[in-house]
Amino acid sequence: MSVVCFVEQDAEGVIVDSSLRAVTFARMLSDQSGEEIVAVALSARARGSGGAGPGSLDGAGRNPAEGSLSEGVGQQGHEVLGAYGVGDVCLLVLPRTVGYAPRALATGLAQLAGAARASAVIAASTDHGNEVMAHLAALSHLPMVANCSEARRVGPTTLQLSRQRWGGSLIEDSVLEAAVALLTVATDEVAPVLAPAASEPAARTFTPELAETDIAVRAIESRDATSGVSLANAKVVVSGGRGIGGAEGFAAVEQLAGLLGGAVGVSRAVTSLGWRPHSEQVGQTGTRVSPDLYIACGISGAIQHLAGCQSAKVMVAINTDPQAPIMGRADYAVIGDVNAILPALVDALSQRSR
Amino acid sequence: MDILVCIKRVPMVGGRISLTPDGRGVDTEMLGFTMSPHEECAVEAAVRLVERDGGSVTALTLGPPEATDQLRDAIAVGANAAILLKTDGREWGPTATAAAITAVAEQHQAQTGRPYDLLLFGNEAADTGDYQVAVRVAHLLGHPCATGIKQLEVDVHGVHARREYRGVTELFELPLPAVLSVKEGINLPRYPSLPGRMRAKKAQIDEVDPEWQGDGLKLDGLRVPISERRQAAILGHGVEAVPALVDLLERLGVLS
């Protein structure tokens, strides 16, 4: 028996943080049962290194290097997975032209989970993780539970689960009855923790049998030349809400963000009013951020907004209302009108840097 | 083009969530309701496509009788028809929800001889966030699908749907009929017009009574997570607090 965990890699092939959290979560189950964790990664080609061409099963001619360790998670990734308690690293080999194809991945995971007699298949609750697991659930006629934060086996086919609702503002405790548990992991709730003892995982490849329908929908990828600080990874985020009063008020927000080397964020009210683009929205239906410093300017602090910024290390609120919900989450606050305070703060900082 | 857009009625929660005394639901006594944010954008996307190319938008929801409010909201911004899959207030899981929606789509095809060209969903519901109803419906209907879409073009060849993932733009090309889930940001939903509201008020809403099915996941209860509730340290009032703010930023080491 085993616990299968789908792991994702970034463009350089490094295993992403959210997947290490998913592996940590998988250990909650495997530690209890003594099962082995099988990490499933994609071959480099299936990660999009050559995914732009028209895909066809006929063109699947694999060269010998394909599926080798170097094309998978790499030596470093292998060691990292071992340090997190993975016992077996399995490289999913897809036809070279396929790229990211969620249904093909799900089919591969289904076949692999069957071969490994998996009691659970786990992925991070990312766009790819949720999508692949939803396909796996549909293909295998099994329930899928998204955004889990805890799992405990209480019977051969029964798990006691905790999962997030409302982007983490509410926790649901549930009992899952399923031959194979399909779970995605709320990565803002589960910290990555190294295994007590590192393992030396075995490495192997697995080439699933795919049908044309499995590869019919696949991503054609293009990399953007992103300029400026990305909101998701910014160390400092200066966010403006309805209290800014209008689109022109964001000049001061931008200036402050610039002076702090940070990114501009906004609340949902601001994008709904058309003052700023949705790409800047922080919250449950926007971007989730976890900066060292989050400055919330004229933001009341609805739970949907806090869902996107509550993992900030330090939060500062500037708001006219000392009773606003944001005051219950912020570490520091200034009471007053952002449209007076922000320009004065920008002035003070500009003079200081001269 | 005939589009089915699926929406969910959810409470409008604000600063904090209160639970019912039995801890099994959100106390909605003091709350209004809305459709999930991603789904507002799905409705807008559907209406724009039909305004351009002709066809129809049918809004569908699975929920209690009160969910007709959200169907009327969809009609007020341009949907032509609405279907309520009426529940008795029990929560439906994603598998059963997908089966009930699929039955509606299949019945539409049986009656008209043509399938819905496009089935639109929100990427995930604001409350339960299950991330799977669209994909399950696609599998049941045998349609291709893509999720989390932030940019959408539809022409005679099919759907060109884009999204961002880890700094990479992913383009999916799907033939019609297709299933898509969209995310907020794909468009800015319009406000209803006065004629729209009038139309919505009078519109007929078709009702279906699907049978509740269990889903493998049984709710024990809900709880509000124990957050480190802080009380913010007040640095001061108005512009007089600026020196204290500068000091704080310096201490935090964010000033170059």
Side-chain angles (χ1 to χ4, degrees):
Chain A
M1 298 286 277
S2 63
V3 175
V4 168
C5 187
F6 173 56
V7 298
E8 299 175 53
Q9 294 156 269
D10 66 15
E12 280 72 48
V14 177
I15 291 160
V16 299
D17 174 71
S18 54
S19 288
L20 296 178
R21 292 165 188 257
V23 172
T24 305
F25 178 93
R27 286 214 314 273
M28 283 189 208
L29 291 172
S30 68
D31 283 352
Q32 202 189 337
S33 61
E35 292 163 298
E36 182 177 64
I37 298 179
V38 179
V40 181
L42 285 181
S43 66
R45 285 193 173 83
R47 284 202 314 272
S49 314
S56 160
L57 285 181
D58 308 332
R62 294 173 194 100
N63 65 45
E66 193 166 18
S68 75
L69 193 59
S70 64
E71 288 227 5
V73 298
Q75 189 57 40
Q76 207 187 348
H78 204 74
E79 281 167 17
V80 167
L81 289 172
Y84 279 84
V86 167
D88 189 6
V89 178
C90 185
L91 189 59
L92 207 53
V93 181
L94 300 182
R96 69 167 70 193
T97 49
V98 166
Y100 172 75
R103 185 170 167 147
L105 286 177
T107 299
L109 279 171
Q111 291 170 8
L112 208 147
R117 299 204 302 127
S119 64
V121 182
I122 289 164
S125 181
T126 59
D127 285 353
H128 279 188
N130 283 320
E131 184 173 54
V132 169
M133 292 294 279
H135 279 281
L136 176 55
L139 284 169
S140 50
H141 305 285
L142 287 166
M144 162 200 164
V145 190
N147 274 322
C148 297
S149 52
E150 281 175 64
R152 199 163 55 88
R153 189 162 288 286
V154 291
T157 56
T158 314
L159 291 186
Q160 177 78 49
L161 296 175
S162 298
R163 66 179 291 253
Q164 293 182 337
R165 288 194 182 197
W166 289 100
S169 302
L170 212 57
I171 305 293
E172 168 190 329
D173 296 312
S174 290
V175 176
L176 174 68
E177 195 64 52
V180 182
L182 307 183
L183 314 175
T184 69
V185 179
T187 50
D188 54 353
E189 197 68 34
V190 179
V193 180
L194 292 169
S199 54
E200 276 184 34
R204 62 193 173 99
T205 62
F206 182 83
T207 305
E209 280 176 40
L210 300 177
E212 286 290 343
T213 47
D214 291 322
I215 58 167
V217 177
R218 58 189 178 272
I220 301 163
E221 300 185 348
S222 55
R223 248 157 256 282
D224 307 333
T226 39
S227 58
V229 184
S230 116
L231 179 58
N233 304 320
K235 294 279 177 222
V236 176
V237 175
V238 183
S239 272
R242 196 193 289 269
I244 299 290
E248 54 293 338
F250 277 88
V253 176
E254 282 179 348
Q255 284 166 350
L256 181 57
L259 285 165
L260 301 178
V264 172
V266 301
S267 69
R268 181 161 183 258
V270 166
T271 50
S272 300
L273 289 161
W275 295 350
R276 300 292 290 191
H278 187 275
S279 55
E280 293 178 351
Q281 185 174 315
V282 170
Q284 193 180 335
T285 52
T287 302
R288 289 177 172 230
V289 299
S290 48
D292 293 338
L293 173 63
Y294 190 81
I295 306 181
C297 307
I299 291 176
S300 66
I303 59 155
Q304 295 91 335
H305 185 76
L306 293 172
C309 61
Q310 57 199 356
S311 52
K313 287 206 184 83
V314 176
M315 192 183 294
V316 178
I318 305 175
N319 207 297
T320 48
D321 179 9
Q323 304 302 324
I326 192 91
M327 298 299 173
R329 292 293 179 91
D331 302 280
Y332 302 95
V334 174
I335 311 300
D337 179 8
V338 282
N339 292 306
I341 294 163
L342 281 185
L345 178 58
V346 166
D347 269 358
L349 292 178
S350 315
Q351 275 170 23
R352 188 183 165 281
S353 60
R354 255 180 223 136
Chain B
M1 172 149 51
D2 293 323
I3 304 177
L4 182 71
V5 54
C6 300
I7 63 178
K8 184 174 185 182
R9 171 185 168 93
V10 295
M12 269 193 270
V13 293
R16 63 183 298 261
I17 294 184
S18 303
L19 296 176
T20 53
D22 68 358
R24 297 179 68 84
V26 173
D27 182 1
T28 55
E29 201 142 300
M30 309 294 281
L31 299 177
F33 286 82
T34 180
M35 71 178 85
S36 263
H38 296 314
E39 292 144 25
E40 285 182 23
C41 295
V43 172
E44 178 66 29
V47 169
R48 286 186 193 183
L49 285 172
V50 165
E51 279 173 345
R52 193 192 64 185
D53 297 337
S56 71
V57 176
T58 302
L60 174 152
T61 194
L62 181 139
E66 297 80 20
T68 50
D69 293 348
Q70 281 62 50
L71 292 173
R72 292 191 194 282
D73 288 347
I75 293 169
V77 292
N80 311 96
I83 302 170
L84 171 69
L85 299 177
K86 199 165 68 183
T87 69
D88 56 9
R90 265 185 295 184
E91 200 166 72
W92 281 52
T95 307
T97 302
I101 293 170
T102 302
V104 169
E106 282 170 343
Q107 199 191 5
H108 170 84
Q109 180 164 8
Q111 282 172 355
T112 64
R114 294 189 50 233
Y116 288 116
D117 300 290
L118 196 56
L119 291 92
L120 289 179
F121 293 79
N123 191 56
E124 86 280 359
D127 54 355
T128 51
D130 292 310
Y131 292 91
Q132 57 191 275
V133 174
V135 176
R136 287 188 184 274
V137 169
H139 278 254
L140 290 169
L141 291 173
H143 293 348
C145 90
T147 68
I149 296 309
K150 292 285 280 276
Q151 201 194 329
L152 175 62
E153 293 156 43
V154 179
D155 58 29
V156 288
H157 306 294
V159 175
H160 310 265
R162 287 181 175 79
R163 70 177 183 198
E164 301 286 321
Y165 189 64
R166 297 190 196 287
V168 174
T169 300
E170 297 181 330
L171 165 66
F172 295 92
E173 295 183 322
L174 286 68
L176 295 171
V179 175
L180 293 177
S181 79
V182 307
K183 269 191 180 175
E184 191 179 72
I186 189 173
N187 53 42
L188 194 55
R190 72 193 69 186
Y191 290 101
S193 63
L194 191 60
R197 281 182 212 271
M198 300 301 288
R199 196 172 56 241
K201 222 178 199 172
K202 286 182 291 191
Q204 188 209 315
I205 299 206
D206 295 331
E207 285 189 11
V208 181
D209 283 296
E211 201 177 322
W212 185 88
Q213 291 169 44
D215 235 1
L217 188 66
K218 231 171 62 217
L219 178 72
D220 261 355
L222 301 173
R223 59 194 155 92
V224 177
I226 307 152
S227 64
E228 330 119 57
R229 271 198 86 75
R230 310 161 227 212
Q231 195 48 54
I234 308 289
L235 296 174
H237 289 72
V239 292
E240 277 150 34
V242 166
L245 259 177
V246 175
D247 283 352
L248 173 68
L249 296 177
E250 189 146 28
R251 264 191 291 139
L252 294 173
V254 292
L255 298 180
S256 47

